[in-house]
Amino acid sequence: MGPKARRWAPAFGEIAVGVAAALGFTYLGLGVDNSPVTRVGQVSGLSNLQLWFALLVLAVLAAVGWATVRAGERVRKLSVRLGAAAVAGLSTGFLGAAQVFALRGTPWPLNGPYGDNNRILGWAEEVLHTGAMDAFYPPGVPYSIGYLAKAGLFDGEPALAFKWVFIALVALTGPAAYLFWRMSVTPLPALALGLLPALQQTLPHKPYSPLVLVLIVPLIAKLLLWLRASPQFTTRGTVLRGGFLGLLFGLLFLVYSGWHLWSLPGVLVAVLFFYPWRTGRLRGLAFLGSSLLGFLLVAGVYLRVLLGATSTRDQWCSGYTLTEPGYIGTTPLSSRAWDEPGEYPGFGEFAGLHMYAVVVLVGLGFAVALGLRKAVVVAPLACFASAWLIRFWLAGHMEADQQVQLFPRTIMQIQVTLTALTVLACVLAAQRLAPLVKRLRSADAETETEDGSEAKPTAKGASTEARRFTAVGVLLAMALAGGMIGSFFGNQYLPTHPDEKLAGTLAWQAHQFRKPDGDCPKYANFGKCKPFPARTVAEEPVEVEWMVCEYPWRKATEGGSIVLDLMTRP
């Protein structure tokens, strides 16, 4: 094996292990034969997944533990890389397997043909029959579903492809986020930085949006790293690196463009901060120019369509829109939280702030204090600041303009970046404390015991033991977090009747439509179902003069229907 092969083989190994773990565990979801609609069956199904997950994680930990104790340094490092990739894949693979279980017996996706599914399936139908779609929505998902059907897969039915494409995106989010952070940091920090935000933003019914979000932040970090280092590259190396990152940015833009737009102001400021003004202005310009060119080659056509749709108004106003704009805590997965005024977001433990907000604000402060000059810190910090300011600007114009412009979604970007900054604060603090811990261990090892003999093990041995098992400890903690969070979100999206007002309504809807063979899904309500629309038409929302907002706690006296309140100008 040549030098280049030895260099790249571990990286390809990480990719292969992460993807195999994610899709492999998702496949295990097909082996859960419990009922997804009864509570006893749901608990048993999730428990089976937890057992399989625990056994596989134990195998990973055993392999890494053996390598760290028995193998050489090269094998130990490789085991940590592959172990981290495996944990990342297994964790979001658990989410994929939970979705397979939730949709057991039905070929349809979460929420069936309702909600955003209706429009995406309509555009996929356009792609299937015409090869193109006429809309300003990011084309990545509709084109993928449409071309899969056009290739003859899934019986040529986009709705059948929809389910499995979304499950695959859910499962692959963990390893993808880990691999993108691996471009800038070592395996264990990359695992925490990629996995925790990915799990936090789980949206099985819209997985493409959080997938792009957790990937764009480490990609920006790599852009800043290479920009600062561009004077050290050859001209060819600079252009190739810039073009490569531009292509990746463009591909993500085609899947979901919102995060690019909300991050742009902060990224422009960060670019000015990292630009090599003294040592390589031309080289930095070549890097940025090639990045822009690579982006335009992939996403230029769609960018032109998007810029031409600036007059489009988003007037969808929900309970999220009516939440106080400074709130950054968790968002509910049910409409019960909005049944009564003041129920959401409720009151936090510290001056109205929930514990999550307190922790990430402390993490933000430490990350800035310890690593403001580091690209891996500046990237999430720039994205956070940009989304924070844009959120208030859009919300501040909401009443005057009578449009929302998707500003409530900025909370996802705020949460992801603050979580990443908190992880980075822990990493940077550990790096600062490592020399102190080493000195304390050395001093302890040199002290004599009461009988005059020297303490054992030696300082070198103690340091080696601690270093060895750091990887096992981090992998164990991340795996447990993955299993617990995966079980939580899996449980939330298991089928529940719409009257329960839970996220499980989305899975319940998928069981209520007749299968292509004419039979009802096995778990259809009372064995009855209705036809799935033969062709879904994507309809644009109708603009109104005044924005319509939902106040779920204001209910009509008859039928329990929701009364809509019109927000009117003074």
Side-chain angles (χ1 to χ4, degrees), residues 179-270:
L179 291 169
F180 268 58
W181 275 110
R182 278 291 288 120
M183 293 191 293
S184 303
V185 297
T186 53
L188 298 180
L191 177 61
L193 285 167
L195 187 58
L196 293 179
L199 292 171
Q200 181 187 27
Q201 300 300 331
T202 298
L203 287 177
H205 59 296
K206 295 181 183 179
Y208 51 91
S209 172
L211 171 64
V212 173
L213 176 57
V214 298
L215 298 186
I216 194 174
V217 177
L219 199 59
I220 292 171
K222 192 62 178 179
L223 176 77
L224 298 178
L225 279 170
W226 274 350
L227 174 61
R228 184 166 57 185
S230 58
Q232 304 173 20
F233 305 143
T234 63
T235 301
R236 180 174 179 270
T238 299
V239 172
L240 290 177
R241 286 177 172 86
F244 171 70
L245 291 184
L247 291 174
L248 292 180
F249 277 113
L251 290 174
L252 294 179
F253 191 75
L254 294 179
V255 178
Y256 189 79
S257 56
W259 314 125
H260 292 68
L261 302 177
W262 291 325
S263 301
L264 182 59
V267 172
L268 291 178
V269 174

Side-chain angles (χ1 to χ4, degrees), residues 115-150 158-159 162 166 206 208 254-256 302 305 312 409 535-541:
D116 285 355
N117 289 6
N118 176 54
R119 303 174 69 189
I120 294 176
L121 287 175
W123 293 320
E125 288 280 356
E126 290 184 23
V127 173
L128 174 62
H129 295 288
T130 68
M133 58 177 274
D134 183 20
F136 65 89
Y137 196 82
V141 172
Y143 269 86
S144 298
I145 294 174
Y147 277 119
L148 284 173
K150 198 169 187 177
F162 203 117
F166 273 29
K206 295 181 183 179
Y208 51 91
L254 294 179
V255 178
Y256 189 79
Y302 170 59
V305 172
T312 303
R409 297 190 185 181
R535 180 178 174 84
T536 310
V537 180
E539 298 180 356
E540 297 297 330

Side-chain angles (χ1 to χ4, degrees), residues 229-366:
S230 58
Q232 304 173 20
F233 305 143
T234 63
T235 301
R236 180 174 179 270
T238 299
V239 172
L240 290 177
R241 286 177 172 86
F244 171 70
L245 291 184
L247 291 174
L248 292 180
F249 277 113
L251 290 174
L252 294 179
F253 191 75
L254 294 179
V255 178
Y256 189 79
S257 56
W259 314 125
H260 292 68
L261 302 177
W262 291 325
S263 301
L264 182 59
V267 172
L268 291 178
V269 174
V271 164
L272 295 176
F273 185 70
F274 278 83
Y275 193 83
W277 296 102
R278 296 181 179 179
T279 57
R281 295 182 182 180
L282 293 179
R283 199 61 57 82
L285 189 63
F287 176 77
L288 293 177
S290 59
S291 298
L292 179 60
L293 180 60
F295 174 82
L296 293 176
L297 285 175
V298 174
V301 174
Y302 170 59
L303 178 62
R304 185 172 60 184
V305 172
L306 189 63
L307 293 176
T310 53
S311 60
T312 303
R313 303 176 68 191
D314 167 38
Q315 296 181 302
W316 172 244
C317 178
S318 65
Y320 290 103
T321 313
L322 303 178
T323 302
E324 62 96 357
Y327 178 71
I328 63 170
T330 56
T331 51
L333 294 174
S334 75
S335 59
R336 286 181 179 178
W338 290 303
D339 277 352
E340 297 295 335
E343 287 293 317
Y344 174 75
F347 299 98
E349 297 83 358
F350 175 74
L353 297 180
H354 291 269
M355 187 55 62
Y356 168 77
V358 175
V359 171
V360 295
L361 288 178
V362 173
L364 168 66
F366 272 98

Side-chain angles (χ1 to χ4, degrees), residues 69-120:
V69 173
R70 298 294 183 182
E73 185 68 9
R74 181 180 175 185
V75 175
R76 185 193 69 82
K77 290 182 177 180
L78 178 62
S79 71
V80 172
R81 296 177 67 169
L82 299 183
V87 169
L90 289 173
S91 296
T92 48
F94 190 108
L95 294 169
Q99 291 309 299
V100 172
F101 171 48
L103 299 175
R104 181 172 180 247
T106 178
W108 309 119
L110 289 173
N111 211 25
Y114 299 132
D116 285 355
N117 289 6
N118 176 54
R119 303 174 69 189
I120 294 176

